[in-house]
Every structure is written in structure tokens, then in C-alpha cells.
Amino acid sequence: MITAALDARGFTYFTDADGDIGGNFQGNLIYFFRIGEQKEMLQIRAMVRHVFGMDDVMRLYEFCNAWNHDQLWPKAYVHVSDDGTVNVVGEVIADWERGVTPEQLDQVVICGVATGCQLADAVGALREPTD
């Protein structure tokens, strides 16, 4: 159903070796994970394209806290990689233990993609010099 929803919107995507579905949306890597004991939840995870260093962690925490206070989606958090690079990640999660219609799935998919790209734009503004 996930690929059918992506196909219906004309989105380009891939399936990786683990069977996870992902795509490049405005330069951001967005994955569509089925999680939960029975794979009943959909997690749409947007990995923002902008990369920061360790000196930016506190500023990014502050940004994510403000974003999460003001925005419903996606929930944002800071991810520090083993190599010291720092990214902001956003996620939208839907629990469909009782099932999902194609219309509900489409709504969550477009929400995850659109708000993930909005988050990326806001994070990108942090990289721009201020006057």
C-alpha cells in the first residue's frame, strides 16, 4: 500500500536491501518504515540534508524544542553520528492496529513528506548567515 500511495502521487522511491522504502524529496532522504510487533505502525522519517558539527548541538536542541512546541508534524530531534556530524531528523508516526484505508495512508504520506521538507527548509535557514 505504501508504494501504491507513492505511485499515485508520482513520487520516485527505492526499496533498499532490507526492504525499506525511501526516497529523495527536495534533497532530503525520507524513509517509510513499518514498525511495531505486527508492523501495524508507519513511521515516516525525514533525514534533513543539512549537516552540522558538534558546536551546533545546543543550538539544534533549542531549535527542535521550539519546533516541537509550535508544530504538530514532524516531531524533530537531533542525531549525532559516530563521525561527529550532526543532523536534524523529523518523524511522523501513525498507528493502524485496526487497519487503514488508502485515503488515510495517502494523507499521512503527504503529511510526512511535506512537513519533512518544511522542517528541512527551517533547518537550512539556521545555516544561513545572519545580518
Coordinates of all heavy atoms in Angstrom, one line a residue, residues 54-101:
M54 N 29.6 19.4 15.9 CA 29.3 19.3 17.3 C 29.1 20.6 18.0 O 28.3 20.7 19.0 CB 30.4 18.5 18.0 CG 30.5 17.0 17.7 SD 29.0 16.1 18.1 CE 29.0 16.2 19.8
D55 N 29.7 21.7 17.5 CA 29.5 23.0 18.1 C 28.1 23.5 17.9 O 27.7 24.4 18.6 CB 30.4 24.0 17.4 CG 31.9 23.8 17.8 OD1 32.2 23.0 18.7 OD2 32.8 24.3 17.1
D56 N 27.3 22.9 17.1 CA 25.9 23.3 16.8 C 24.9 22.6 17.6 O 23.7 22.9 17.5 CB 25.6 23.2 15.3 CG 26.5 24.0 14.4 OD1 26.5 25.3 14.7 OD2 27.1 23.5 13.5
V57 N 25.3 21.6 18.4 CA 24.3 20.7 19.0 C 23.3 21.5 19.9 O 22.1 21.3 19.8 CB 25.0 19.6 19.8 CG1 24.0 18.8 20.7 CG2 25.7 18.6 18.8
M58 N 23.8 22.3 20.8 CA 22.9 23.0 21.7 C 21.9 23.9 20.9 O 20.7 24.0 21.2 CB 23.7 23.9 22.7 CG 24.4 23.0 23.7 SD 23.4 21.8 24.6 CE 22.2 22.8 25.4
R59 N 22.4 24.6 19.9 CA 21.5 25.4 19.1 C 20.5 24.6 18.4 O 19.3 25.0 18.3 CB 22.4 26.2 18.0 CG 21.6 27.2 17.2 CD 22.6 28.1 16.5 NE 23.4 27.3 15.5 CZ 23.3 27.4 14.2 NH1 22.4 28.2 13.7 NH2 24.1 26.8 13.4
L60 N 20.8 23.4 17.9 CA 19.9 22.5 17.3 C 18.9 21.9 18.3 O 17.7 21.8 17.9 CB 20.6 21.4 16.5 CG 21.4 21.8 15.3 CD1 22.3 20.7 14.8 CD2 20.6 22.4 14.3
Y61 N 19.3 21.6 19.5 CA 18.4 21.2 20.5 C 17.3 22.3 20.8 O 16.1 22.0 20.9 CB 19.1 20.9 21.8 CG 19.8 19.6 21.9 CD1 20.9 19.4 22.7 CD2 19.3 18.4 21.2 CE1 21.5 18.2 22.8 CE2 19.9 17.2 21.3 CZ 21.1 17.1 22.1 OH 21.7 15.9 22.2
E62 N 17.8 23.5 20.9 CA 16.9 24.6 21.1 C 15.9 24.8 19.9 O 14.7 25.0 20.1 CB 17.7 25.9 21.3 CG 18.4 26.0 22.6 CD 19.4 27.2 22.7 OE1 19.4 28.0 21.7 OE2 20.1 27.2 23.7
F63 N 16.4 24.6 18.7 CA 15.6 24.7 17.5 C 14.5 23.6 17.6 O 13.3 23.9 17.3 CB 16.4 24.6 16.2 CG 15.5 24.3 15.0 CD1 15.0 25.4 14.3 CD2 15.3 23.0 14.6 CE1 14.1 25.2 13.2 CE2 14.5 22.8 13.5 CZ 13.9 23.9 12.8
C64 N 14.9 22.4 17.8 CA 14.0 21.2 17.9 C 12.9 21.4 19.0 O 11.7 21.1 18.7 CB 14.7 19.9 18.0 SG 15.6 19.4 16.6
N65 N 13.3 21.9 20.1 CA 12.4 22.1 21.2 C 11.3 23.2 20.8 O 10.1 23.0 21.0 CB 13.1 22.6 22.5 CG 13.7 21.4 23.2 OD1 13.4 20.3 23.0 ND2 14.7 21.8 24.0
A66 N 11.8 24.2 20.2 CA 10.8 25.3 19.7 C 9.9 24.7 18.6 O 8.7 25.0 18.6 CB 11.6 26.5 19.2
W67 N 10.5 24.0 17.6 CA 9.8 23.4 16.6 C 8.7 22.5 17.1 O 7.5 22.6 16.7 CB 10.7 22.6 15.6 CG 9.9 21.9 14.5 CD1 9.4 20.7 14.6 CD2 9.7 22.4 13.2 NE1 8.8 20.3 13.4 CE2 8.9 21.4 12.5 CE3 10.0 23.6 12.5 CZ2 8.5 21.5 11.2 CZ3 9.5 23.7 11.2 CH2 8.8 22.7 10.6
N68 N 9.0 21.6 18.0 CA 8.1 20.6 18.6 C 7.0 21.3 19.4 O 5.9 20.8 19.5 CB 8.8 19.6 19.4 CG 9.7 18.7 18.6 OD1 9.4 18.5 17.4 ND2 10.7 18.1 19.2
H69 N 7.3 22.5 20.0 CA 6.3 23.2 20.7 C 5.3 23.9 19.8 O 4.1 23.9 20.1 CB 7.0 24.3 21.5 CG 6.1 25.2 22.3 ND1 5.5 26.3 21.8 CD2 5.6 25.0 23.6 CE1 4.7 26.9 22.7 NE2 4.7 26.1 23.8
D70 N 5.8 24.3 18.6 CA 4.9 25.1 17.7 C 4.3 24.3 16.6 O 3.3 24.8 16.0 CB 5.8 26.3 17.1 CG 6.3 27.3 18.1 OD1 5.7 27.3 19.2 OD2 7.3 27.9 17.9
Q71 N 4.9 23.2 16.3 CA 4.4 22.4 15.1 C 3.9 21.0 15.5 O 4.5 20.4 16.4 CB 5.5 22.2 14.1 CG 6.2 23.5 13.6 CD 5.3 24.3 12.8 OE1 4.4 23.9 12.0 NE2 5.4 25.7 13.0
L72 N 2.9 20.5 14.9 CA 2.4 19.1 15.2 C 3.3 18.1 14.5 O 3.6 17.1 15.1 CB 1.0 18.9 14.7 CG -0.1 19.6 15.5 CD1 -1.5 19.4 14.9 CD2 -0.1 19.1 16.9
W73 N 3.7 18.4 13.3 CA 4.5 17.4 12.5 C 5.6 18.1 11.8 O 5.5 19.3 11.4 CB 3.6 16.7 11.5 CG 2.5 16.0 12.1 CD1 2.6 14.9 12.8 CD2 1.1 16.3 11.9 NE1 1.3 14.5 13.2 CE2 0.4 15.3 12.7 CE3 0.4 17.3 11.3 CZ2 -1.0 15.3 12.8 CZ3 -1.0 17.3 11.4 CH2 -1.7 16.3 12.1
P74 N 6.6 17.4 11.5 CA 7.0 16.2 12.1 C 7.7 16.5 13.5 O 8.1 17.7 13.7 CB 8.1 15.6 11.2 CG 8.7 16.9 10.6 CD 7.6 17.9 10.5
K75 N 7.7 15.5 14.3 CA 8.5 15.7 15.6 C 9.9 15.7 15.2 O 10.4 14.9 14.4 CB 8.1 14.6 16.6 CG 6.7 14.8 17.1 CD 6.5 16.2 17.7 CE 5.1 16.5 18.0 NZ 4.8 17.9 18.2
A76 N 10.7 16.6 15.7 CA 12.1 16.8 15.3 C 13.0 16.4 16.5 O 12.7 16.7 17.7 CB 12.3 18.3 14.9
Y77 N 14.1 15.9 16.1 CA 15.2 15.6 17.1 C 16.5 15.7 16.5 O 16.7 15.7 15.3 CB 15.0 14.2 17.8 CG 15.0 13.0 16.9 CD1 16.1 12.3 16.6 CD2 13.8 12.5 16.3 CE1 16.1 11.2 15.7 CE2 13.8 11.4 15.5 CZ 14.9 10.8 15.2 OH 14.9 9.7 14.4
V78 N 17.6 15.8 17.3 CA 18.9 15.9 16.9 C 19.6 14.5 16.9 O 19.4 13.7 17.8 CB 19.7 16.8 17.9 CG1 21.2 16.9 17.5 CG2 19.1 18.2 17.9
H79 N 20.3 14.2 15.8 CA 21.0 13.0 15.7 C 22.5 13.2 15.5 O 22.9 13.9 14.6 CB 20.5 12.1 14.5 CG 21.2 10.8 14.4 ND1 22.3 10.6 13.6 CD2 21.0 9.6 15.0 CE1 22.7 9.4 13.7 NE2 21.9 8.8 14.6
V80 N 23.3 12.7 16.5 CA 24.8 12.8 16.4 C 25.3 11.5 15.9 O 25.1 10.5 16.6 CB 25.4 13.2 17.8 CG1 26.9 13.3 17.7 CG2 24.8 14.5 18.3
S81 N 26.0 11.5 14.8 CA 26.6 10.3 14.2 C 28.0 10.0 14.9 O 28.6 10.9 15.5 CB 26.9 10.5 12.7 OG 25.6 10.7 12.1
D82 N 28.4 8.8 14.7 CA 29.7 8.4 15.3 C 30.9 9.2 14.8 O 31.9 9.4 15.5 CB 30.0 6.9 15.0 CG 29.1 6.0 15.8 OD1 28.5 6.4 16.8 OD2 28.9 4.8 15.4
D83 N 30.7 9.8 13.6 CA 31.8 10.5 13.0 C 31.8 12.0 13.4 O 32.6 12.8 13.0 CB 31.8 10.4 11.5 CG 30.6 11.0 10.8 OD1 29.7 11.6 11.5 OD2 30.5 11.0 9.6
G84 N 30.8 12.4 14.3 CA 30.8 13.7 14.8 C 29.9 14.7 14.0 O 29.7 15.8 14.3
T85 N 29.3 14.2 12.9 CA 28.4 15.0 12.2 C 27.0 15.0 12.9 O 26.6 14.0 13.5 CB 28.2 14.5 10.7 OG1 27.7 13.2 10.7 CG2 29.5 14.7 9.9
V86 N 26.3 16.1 12.7 CA 25.0 16.3 13.4 C 24.0 16.6 12.4 O 24.2 17.5 11.5 CB 25.2 17.4 14.5 CG1 23.9 17.6 15.2 CG2 26.3 17.1 15.4
N87 N 22.8 15.9 12.5 CA 21.7 16.2 11.6 C 20.4 16.4 12.5 O 20.4 15.9 13.6 CB 21.5 15.0 10.7 CG 22.6 14.8 9.8 OD1 23.6 14.1 10.1 ND2 22.5 15.3 8.6
V88 N 19.4 17.0 11.9 CA 18.1 17.0 12.5 C 17.3 16.0 11.7 O 17.3 15.9 10.5 CB 17.5 18.4 12.4 CG1 16.0 18.4 12.8 CG2 18.3 19.4 13.2
V89 N 16.5 15.2 12.4 CA 15.6 14.2 11.9 C 14.2 14.5 12.3 O 13.9 14.9 13.4 CB 16.0 12.8 12.4 CG1 15.1 11.7 11.8 CG2 17.4 12.5 12.0
G90 N 13.2 14.4 11.4 CA 11.8 14.5 11.7 C 11.1 13.3 11.5 O 11.5 12.4 10.6
E91 N 10.0 13.0 12.3 CA 9.2 11.8 12.1 C 7.8 12.1 12.3 O 7.4 12.8 13.2 CB 9.8 10.7 12.9 CG 9.6 10.8 14.4 CD 10.2 9.6 15.1 OE1 11.0 8.9 14.6 OE2 9.7 9.4 16.2
V92 N 7.0 11.4 11.5 CA 5.5 11.3 11.6 C 5.2 9.8 11.8 O 5.7 9.0 11.0 CB 4.8 11.9 10.4 CG1 3.3 11.6 10.4 CG2 5.1 13.4 10.2
I93 N 4.4 9.5 12.8 CA 4.0 8.1 13.1 C 2.5 8.0 13.1 O 1.8 8.8 13.7 CB 4.7 7.6 14.4 CG1 6.2 7.6 14.3 CG2 4.2 6.2 14.7 CD1 6.9 7.2 15.6
A94 N 2.0 6.9 12.5 CA 0.6 6.6 12.5 C 0.5 5.1 12.9 O 1.2 4.3 12.5 CB 0.0 6.8 11.2
D95 N -0.5 4.9 13.8 CA -0.8 3.5 14.3 C -2.0 3.0 13.7 O -3.1 3.6 13.9 CB -0.9 3.6 15.9 CG -1.0 2.2 16.5 OD1 -1.3 1.2 15.7 OD2 -0.9 2.1 17.7
W96 N -1.9 2.0 12.9 CA -3.1 1.4 12.3 C -3.3 0.0 12.7 O -3.5 -0.9 11.9 CB -2.9 1.5 10.7 CG -3.0 2.9 10.3 CD1 -4.0 3.8 10.6 CD2 -2.2 3.6 9.4 NE1 -3.7 5.0 10.0 CE2 -2.6 4.9 9.2 CE3 -1.0 3.2 8.6 CZ2 -2.0 5.8 8.4 CZ3 -0.4 4.1 7.8 CH2 -0.9 5.4 7.7
E97 N -3.4 -0.2 14.0 CA -3.6 -1.6 14.5 C -4.9 -2.2 14.0 O -5.1 -3.3 13.8 CB -3.7 -1.5 16.0 CG -3.8 -2.9 16.7 CD -3.7 -2.8 18.2 OE1 -3.4 -1.7 18.8 OE2 -4.1 -3.8 18.8
R98 N -5.9 -1.3 13.7 CA -7.2 -1.8 13.3 C -7.4 -1.7 11.8 O -8.5 -1.9 11.2 CB -8.3 -0.9 13.9 CG -8.3 -0.9 15.4 CD -8.8 -2.2 16.0 NE -8.8 -2.2 17.4 CZ -8.9 -3.2 18.2 NH1 -9.1 -4.4 17.6 NH2 -8.9 -3.1 19.4
G99 N -6.3 -1.3 11.1 CA -6.4 -1.2 9.6 C -6.3 0.3 9.1 O -6.3 1.2 9.9
V100 N -6.1 0.4 7.8 CA -6.0 1.7 7.2 C -6.6 1.7 5.8 O -6.6 0.7 5.1 CB -4.5 2.2 7.1 CG1 -3.7 1.2 6.3 CG2 -4.4 3.6 6.6
T101 N -7.2 2.8 5.5 CA -7.8 3.0 4.1 C -6.7 3.6 3.2 O -5.8 4.3 3.7 CB -9.0 3.9 4.1 OG1 -8.7 5.2 4.5 CG2 -10.1 3.3 5.1

